[in-house]
Amino acid sequence: MHFSSMGEVPFSYEQIDAWQRVTGVVLLPWEALTLCGLSIAYGNEKAAGSNPLAAAPGGVYESSEDSVERRERVSKGLAEQLRSFRRKSEA
């Protein structure tokens, strides 16, 4: 995002092209496309987040069953990592 006379607007391909010429950094086409897409997504989410009644990002669509399953999966993964650290330190 950048500021213009119209407020904050997403980066354009022309701006990315100009930045490449000035800095000498050459982006692959998918990288430029990703930057533009991220800039647009950022603007959309920033606008959605300006509503004080909007749901917080992350987990908005997570059911209570999904939440329990995720916590169990994370807990199991952490326990496995800790066991592997213990085995390495005992070796």
Side-chain angles (χ1 to χ4, degrees), residues 29-59:
W30 71 266
E31 293 172 315
L33 181 65
T34 300
L35 283 174
C36 285
L38 287 172
S39 183
I40 291 168
Y42 173 82
N44 291 341
E45 290 304 312
K46 186 174 180 182
S50 65
N51 177 358
L53 301 176

Side-chain angles (χ1 to χ4, degrees), residues 1 11 15 17 20 38 41-42 51-52 66 76 78-79 84:
M1 297 292 287
F11 293 120
Q15 291 169 317
D17 181 54
Q20 289 182 97
L38 287 172
Y42 173 82
N51 177 358
D66 290 339
K76 181 180 175 184
L78 180 59
S84 73

Side-chain angles (χ1 to χ4, degrees), residues 14-27 35:
E14 292 80 14
Q15 291 169 317
I16 292 173
D17 181 54
W19 175 82
Q20 289 182 97
R21 283 185 272 117
V22 169
T23 62
V25 175
V26 178
L27 298 176
L35 283 174

Side-chain angles (χ1 to χ4, degrees), residues 34-91:
T34 300
L35 283 174
C36 285
L38 287 172
S39 183
I40 291 168
Y42 173 82
N44 291 341
E45 290 304 312
K46 186 174 180 182
S50 65
N51 177 358
L53 301 176
V60 174
Y61 302 107
E62 185 175 59
S63 69
S64 60
E65 293 85 11
D66 290 339
S67 175
V68 168
E69 189 274 331
R70 179 179 46 80
R71 279 194 297 270
E72 289 173 354
R73 191 175 65 245
V74 169
S75 179
K76 181 180 175 184
L78 180 59
E80 289 173 3
Q81 283 185 335
L82 292 174
R83 278 193 293 277
S84 73
F85 290 147
R86 187 178 309 142
R87 278 186 241 123
K88 288 179 183 177
S89 66
E90 292 172 354

